[in-house]
């Protein structure tokens, strides 16, 4: 696989938008750092979103293969208050690229990066019924710490080293 982790950049706007269209409407593009108020379809909106990512204390990468954006992965900064609820890592792979080991590949690299940055343990939270994400985390060596509820939503909290 010619996979790369690439920092979000304007050069890949067309490729990113093509992936974004495949995800379809709704706030479900995990790992890209898109917030409810971000408007990413217009050139100005996209540029403002990229600017916000650069200023975010966390780190973001796009998973790229041959110029196509296949997914995104984020590492929240340790001091980010949302880590307590959402964990350090979040990721998503576009529907047409799933089941090829892409999330596992990206997560392994970001876990290495987190270790080098001194983040320990690395935490992750996923929906209890998200079998693909549970398998991705367990494949990467994460251990289930506990099941919890975010409001009425059952989630699993994982840690690694
Ligand atoms: C979760 C997600 C990122 C997995 O991406 P992926 O590239 O398809 O995952 P991989 O191919 O690396 O597979 C990782 C593991 O998940 C398993 N898996 C993949 N899809 C699965 C599915 N639909 N059901 C059960 N297990 C699944 C694989 O068999 C593999 O397990 P293994 O290593 O034990 O064989 C992807 O399904 C996705 O983007 N989902 C929507 C966003 C999301 O849920 N993000 C996580 C938020 S916590």
């Amino acid at each position: 696989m010619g996979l790369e982790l690439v920092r979000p950049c304007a050069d890949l706007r067309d490729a990113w938008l093509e992936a974004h269209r495949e995800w379809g409407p709704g706030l479900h593009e995990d790992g890209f750092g898109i917030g409810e108020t971000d408007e990413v379809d217009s050139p100005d909106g996209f540029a403002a979103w990229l600017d916000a990512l650069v200023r975010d204390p966390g780190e973001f990468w796009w998973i790229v293969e041959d110029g196509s954006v296949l997914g995104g992965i984020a590492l929240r900064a340790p001091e980010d208050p949302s880590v307590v609820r959402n964990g350090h890592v979040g990721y998503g792979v576009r529907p047409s690229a799933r089941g090829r080991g892409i999330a596992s590949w990206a997560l392994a690299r970001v876990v290495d990066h987190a270790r080098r940055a001194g983040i320990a343990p690395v935490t992750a939270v996923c929906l209890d019924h998200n079998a693909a994400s549970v398998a991705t985390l367990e494949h990467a060596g994460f251990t289930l710490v506990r099941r919890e509820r975010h409001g009425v939503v059952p989630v699993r909290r994982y840690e690694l080293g």
Side-chain angles (χ1 to χ4, degrees):
M1 289 188 294
L3 292 169
E4 306 170 85
L5 289 183
V6 177
R7 300 286 181 169
C9 62
D11 289 354
L12 283 171
R13 177 168 180 263
D14 288 347
W16 187 87
L17 284 172
E18 196 263 325
H20 177 61
R21 280 192 287 274
E22 183 180 310
W23 283 88
L27 253 191
H28 56 148
E29 279 172 84
D30 296 307
F32 288 97
I34 303 178
E36 276 175 38
T37 57
D38 290 317
E39 182 278 294
V40 291
D41 294 303
S42 71
D44 285 353
F46 186 83
W49 173 58
L50 280 191
D51 192 49
L53 292 185
V54 170
R55 285 184 283 104
D56 191 293
E59 297 188 84
F60 299 88
W61 296 266
W62 293 344
I63 307 167
V64 174
E65 184 181 55
D66 298 333
S68 292
V69 176
L70 302 188
I73 187 160
L75 179 66
R76 292 184 186 89
E79 66 275 15
D80 184 331
S82 72
V83 165
V84 174
R85 180 180 169 86
N86 300 320
H88 292 111
V89 287
Y91 44 81
V93 170
R94 65 190 287 177
S96 63
R98 291 179 189 167
R100 287 178 46 200
I102 289 169
S104 299
W105 177 88
L107 183 59
R109 269 139 201 90
V110 169
V111 161
D112 282 349
H113 179 85
R115 285 195 173 120
R116 287 196 299 276
I119 299 174
V122 183
T123 60
V125 174
C126 75
L127 294 176
D128 193 41
H129 67 261
N130 190 340
S133 190
V134 164
T136 302
L137 290 167
E138 294 183 354
H139 179 109
F142 281 75
T143 306
L144 178 65
V145 179
R146 61 180 171 273
R147 289 186 164 86
E148 3 178 287
R149 279 187 179 270
H150 286 181
V152 294
V153 180
V155 299
R156 297 181 186 208
R157 180 172 294 276
Y158 280 89
E159 280 185 7
L160 178 64

